Amino acid sequence: MQHDINKKGNTTQMFIDFVRSESFGGIFLAFSTILALIVANSSFGDLYQHFFHTQFGFQFDDHFIGFSIHDWINDVLMAFFFLLVGLEIKREMIFGELNSFSKAAFPAIAAVGGMIVPGLIYYYLNMGTPSAHGFGIPMATDIAFALGVIMVLGSRVPIALKVFLVTLAVVDDLGAIVVIALFYGGDINLFWLMMSGFIILLLIIFNNLGIKSLVVYLIFGVFLWFCVHASGVHATIAAVALAFCIPLKAKYKFSKFEDSINRFSSSYVKGKDDNVLLNSEQLEMIHDIQRVAINAQNPLLRLEHFLQPWSAYFIMPLFAFANAGVNISGNFDFNIDHIFWGIFLGLVVGKPVGVLLATFACEKFGIASRPNSIGWGHILGAGMLAGIGFTMSLFVSALAFDLESSKELSKISILLASLFSCVIGVIFLLFYGKIKK
């Protein structure tokens, strides 16, 4: 009996550990994508399309304030995802793999090469056509998918390669944010752009004044979102700007939290009383510890820790479900300019070639050198996995095209290219690992 209980407990703990693992985010995204494809190609396909195009908001007389459910997901919920991305980039720049030139140069240059070459391939194939604006689609890397795949490979690849790919993906995200800001906004409204700049300036002043309350920053972040949205720049950029304004240092040093714990331990003696209810002194002490515990945490890390599970288990899967539902039985016009080959070749060929050429030039010109445990085959394999554009590519494609036929074609192109990049990347790294051994 006890053995069965222990076995059940171990199984439960193994499941919890798996869900919390870094690889689960990519697996959950894949599941959401497959589910979207199944629903979109079933008898519920029309209901699926109708639901996400349903308008949701508030009606005041003749004025409607709101968006379609699809836009709520892509513009509002995805702002929280970009806020998390911005927080991660800021943390990496201060404490992580981007905090010095020697650490950041090699993967950062790899990321730049992995963006330029795919973008050039797409633009060359579609130059002079209305579809040329989609050059940003194959420039992106899906960090959740790529990291999930490489974590599944486990000990078959060096730890240094995992760090390299994560850093490459972070810089790639930063590059994608810049591309979205520069090329995928609407007509610029200078008044709202100035208002956005004014709010960002206020947030910087708050930071310098030592204001640590996340509530203050998030409230002004909402106003910033509305101003950026009205300015013509894509609203998710507001979330990244907000992330860089979130304070890093905690209000109290950790020693103050330790002092509170020590006071609680010294004043409360076990067995002193058997009352179920706490007295006022004990309640006050617990509230004091809670307050000090919150103020002893870094606001940036606290917000990042809060957003991470929401992003991994709700926002990203919902985005994938809302955007990946392509009717495969539909009559795709693969001859719309060269959208398909631009995206497919950009992700499958352009990514690994760009990453390999950029890192090779980086080492040969003495800018930075690759880690000792990583071979050029590892770099090429990581470049293949970087061709998993998926989430970010889908996001850019929604901004790049106005015609529904172009959007649908770009979606199926992204899905096929990402799947192909994943398969050849895994096979290549496994094969290369055996050769190295």
Side-chain angles (χ1 to χ4, degrees), residues 9 13 34 43 108 150 177 183 204 251 264 266 280 307 336 356 378 414 416 434:
Q13 188 59 46
I34 294 169
S43 57
I150 208 164
I177 290 164
F183 301 104
I204 293 172
K251 186 174 183 179
F264 179 81
S266 60
S280 58
L307 288 174
I336 300 177
L356 186 63
H378 288 128
I414 291 165
L416 289 173
K434 288 185 178 181

Side-chain angles (χ1 to χ4, degrees), residues 318-339:
L318 183 59
F319 172 84
F321 183 72
N323 287 271
V326 182
N327 189 344
I328 299 174
S329 61
N331 296 318
F332 290 105
D333 184 3
F334 285 94
N335 295 317
I336 300 177
D337 302 325
H338 291 96
I339 292 176

Side-chain angles (χ1 to χ4, degrees), residues 227-305:
C227 291
V228 172
H229 184 269
S231 73
V233 178
H234 197 269
T236 51
I237 304 303
V240 180
L242 173 63
F244 277 84
C245 296
I246 299 293
L248 180 64
K249 291 184 178 179
K251 186 174 183 179
Y252 298 150
K253 291 184 178 179
F254 190 75
S255 57
K256 186 163 185 177
F257 174 70
E258 289 181 312
D259 292 340
S260 296
I261 293 294
N262 291 334
R263 283 202 314 272
F264 179 81
S265 299
S266 60
S267 60
Y268 180 75
V269 181
K270 289 183 179 179
K272 188 175 181 180
D273 57 75
D274 297 324
N275 292 332
V276 175
L277 298 176
L278 300 177
N279 59 43
S280 58
E281 183 182 354
Q282 290 168 335
L283 284 172
E284 186 178 346
M285 192 174 298
I286 290 173
H287 290 152
D288 179 60
I289 291 173
Q290 289 175 331
R291 178 178 57 81
V292 175
I294 291 173
N295 289 321
Q297 297 175 57
N298 306 98
L300 184 146
L301 296 181
R302 188 154 60 92
L303 183 57
E304 183 182 337
H305 182 73

Side-chain angles (χ1 to χ4, degrees), residues 212-229:
K212 307 296 183 183
S213 173
L214 286 174
V215 174
V216 173
Y217 290 92
L218 293 176
I219 289 173
F220 277 88
V222 173
F223 290 125
L224 178 62
W225 186 94
F226 279 107
C227 291
V228 172
H229 184 269

Side-chain angles (χ1 to χ4, degrees), residues 114-115 118-119 122 134-141 342-347 351 386 393:
M115 294 183 71
Y122 182 95
F135 67 90
I137 297 171
M139 296 173 73
T141 295
I343 293 173
F344 191 86
L345 293 178
L347 288 173
K351 275 288 183 183
S393 293

